Amino acid sequence: MNQHAFYIDGLQMTEQGLRVNGWLVSDQSLSKTHPYLIVLNNGKEVNRAALTFTSRPDVAKAYGQVYNSANSGFSTLVKLDPAQINGNIQLILRFSDDPAGNGNYDDQYSQTYASNAGNFDAIQVNATGIYVSGWHASNQAIGKPYQYLIFVDQNGHELYRQEVLDKNRTRLDVAKSVPAIYNSGKSGYQLGFNIPNQLNHHMVRIIHRITDDKYGNGNAVDEWSGLVSINAMRTPIDYRQPSEYFAYPNLSQLNNFWIHVPIGQNRVYLMNNNDVVYTMYCTAGYYQNGVSTTPLGTYYIQAERGNSFYNGALGEGANYWTSFLNHGEYLFHTVPTDRWGNYKPYEASQLGINQGSHGCIRLSVPDAYWIMHNVPTGTRVVIDN
């Protein structure tokens, strides 16, 4: 006769400590008459509380074969400072023959509970704005009234931050899933704002920070998102419109402007050093036997450019062309036109989606116009797969 069992009906972290209620039974309690609840933080005891049992007829019905199951309920507060708890919490439910809860004992262990957790429920990037919502609960949040969203690049360098004012939103689902974290039922937040220039065209990670500093520094506890692409690309794609909702870059403000065309991405990236400053939808050359009809390599914008052309052999033309190879053979230009100058609907529908040109780089009408009128002769163009 050596059976035992327990169940945690409820658990909540409070400012005074961890409140726990449930039931505990063991055949060994016949000789080990001192029940205790012990709280471990990262495997080390932080405090314990002696238990006083109450009637539990439901437990007696389910575990009638275990000694004293009819008198197995408990509700207790284990006093501790939530702000001193980090990592994982685990409970030991003990019957001991020692009044202090040591000596000979029969132990049962609970699952582990987190003391810091969070989730980014939504990260939405649209035409001009960013919306972020989620929850972040931490025992270290006590005494830290400020919340921030901080955006960092892939190297960890901060790009932008903004204070979260819509915070402490009710989240009953979080209170249920992480009950060992203080105030987890009020851990929701949301923030929306216009995309600032310093974020556009970046892959970023978002930090949700809870801190005691009104500027977002100081003592803090952080929750990190995965990588997020921030761009203001126009969707759905429209060959009659610029590819982005943002204005085209001012080249006079850039110190190392060049153009990158990764054919497989169906994009043209306007670059300043290693930073993307504008992204254009494109259609490059189709593949024959694994080789694109658009030549790969490093080229330079040439002097030849013009408003329109028509190739009778191919049965199509285009507008606003700019040469980058062989002085008028390989071009940046608009999506194709027919012999009467009308844009071809099917070819236009492939912009930014598929390869399909005979070697040139097709663009939207405004994008091609901008390149023709703004990109200087001699600008480097790198084309790769």
Side-chain angles (χ1 to χ4, degrees):
M1 305 293 290
N2 192 26
Q3 299 184 65
H4 62 195
F6 76 94
Y7 190 79
I8 304 300
D9 293 323
L11 183 148
Q12 182 184 20
M13 184 66 77
T14 70
E15 287 191 63
Q16 293 74 39
L18 190 64
R19 187 169 296 281
V20 186
N21 62 282
W23 56 265
L24 171 64
V25 296
S26 172
D27 284 329
Q28 294 192 39
S29 66
L30 179 61
S31 60
K32 298 178 176 65
T33 58
H34 302 284
Y36 272 84
L37 180 71
I38 301 171
V39 176
L40 305 179
N41 183 205
N42 297 322
K44 296 182 179 180
E45 180 178 343
V46 290
N47 208 353
R48 65 177 65 189
L51 300 180
T52 300
F53 287 130
T54 58
S55 175
R56 286 295 296 259
D58 57 326
V59 180
K61 183 176 181 180
Y63 290 88
Q65 76 279 13
V66 183
Y67 176 72
N68 206 28
S69 57
N71 190 45
S72 59
F74 68 87
S75 179
T76 191
L77 174 70
V78 182
K79 294 182 179 181
L80 51 85
D81 180 2
Q84 300 302 313
I85 303 298
N86 55 37
N88 293 322
I89 292 175
Q90 191 172 26
L91 308 179
I92 299 177
L93 297 104
R94 170 174 292 179
F95 282 106
S96 173
D97 62 2
D98 174 34
N102 301 310
N104 296 310
Y105 49 78
D106 173 43
D107 285 351
Q108 301 180 68
Y109 286 79
S110 75
Q111 68 181 76
T112 57
Y113 300 92
S115 67
N116 178 59
N119 188 63
F120 290 85
D121 295 333
I123 302 174
Q124 300 169 355
V125 182
N126 56 31
T128 58
I130 302 173
Y131 171 77
V132 182
S133 67
W135 60 270
H136 184 191
S138 174
N139 287 320
Q140 288 78 51
I142 295 176
K144 298 178 175 66
Y146 304 101
Q147 295 186 23
Y148 273 81
L149 288 183
I150 301 173
F151 296 76
V152 300
D153 64 19
Q154 295 184 72
N155 296 317
H157 299 136
E158 180 176 336
L159 302 173
Y160 183 78
R161 70 171 60 191
Q162 186 161 322
E163 186 175 1
V164 179
L165 299 178
D166 191 352
K167 59 192 177 185
N168 302 325
R169 296 170 64 85
T170 299
R171 290 297 298 261
L172 299 180
D173 57 326
V174 178
K176 184 177 180 179
S177 65
V178 286
I181 302 179
Y182 174 71
N183 210 29
S184 57
K186 290 283 188 178
S187 59
Y189 66 86
Q190 63 179 6
L191 176 65
F193 56 94
N194 293 331
I195 299 175
N197 288 332
Q198 56 264 50
L199 283 187
N200 196 26
H201 306 110
H202 282 280
M203 292 292 292
V204 303
R205 297 185 191 274
I206 305 174
I207 303 170
H208 178 267
R209 172 168 291 176
I210 302 172
T211 176
D212 62 358
D213 176 50
K214 65 180 180 179
Y215 300 108
N217 301 308
N219 295 314
V221 56
D222 292 344
E223 180 74 17
W224 289 64
S225 78
L227 281 172
V228 179
S229 175
I230 307 293
N231 67 68
M233 297 292 288
R234 186 180 300 276
T235 53
I237 299 171
D238 186 344
Y239 76 94
R240 299 161 296 186
Q241 298 288 336
S243 291
E244 288 193 7
Y245 293 99
F246 273 82
Y248 292 111
N250 183 345
L251 299 188
S252 67
Q253 298 177 352
L254 308 182
N255 56 33
N256 183 22
F257 173 67
W258 58 287
I259 298 173
H260 181 206
V261 185
I263 292 174
Q265 295 182 24
N266 304 302
R267 299 290 187 271
V268 169
Y269 296 108
L270 306 184
M271 307 291 295
N272 183 43
N273 295 310
N274 293 322
D275 296 326
V276 177
V277 295
Y278 197 93
T279 304
M280 296 177 173
Y281 294 116
C282 80
T283 295
Y286 62 85
Y287 284 87
Q288 285 183 321
N289 300 319
V291 179
S292 174
T293 53
T294 297
L296 307 182
T298 298
Y299 309 100
Y300 297 88
I301 294 294
Q302 299 176 321
E304 294 83 4
R305 48 190 90 197
N307 286 321
S308 64
F309 72 88
Y310 180 74
N311 186 326
L314 298 177
E316 64 183 30
N319 296 322
Y320 309 129
W321 59 272
T322 304
S323 178
F324 65 86
L325 179 63
N326 293 348
H327 301 285
E329 181 180 359
Y330 291 98
L331 318 170
F332 292 100
H333 61 63
T334 67
V335 295
T337 58
D338 61 22
R339 62 185 300 178
W340 297 282
N342 301 310
Y343 292 107
K344 292 186 172 183
Y346 174 76
E347 299 294 345
S349 71
Q350 300 304 296
L351 181 69
I353 299 173
N354 292 314
Q355 297 84 35
S357 80
H358 297 92
C360 292
I361 308 296
R362 300 174 179 175
L363 304 166
S364 76
V365 176
D367 290 355
Y369 181 90
W370 184 87
I371 284 182
M372 186 188 81
H373 285 282
N374 291 276
V375 175
T377 298
T379 297
R380 180 165 54 104
V381 178
V382 177
I383 302 176
D384 54 39
N385 275 315

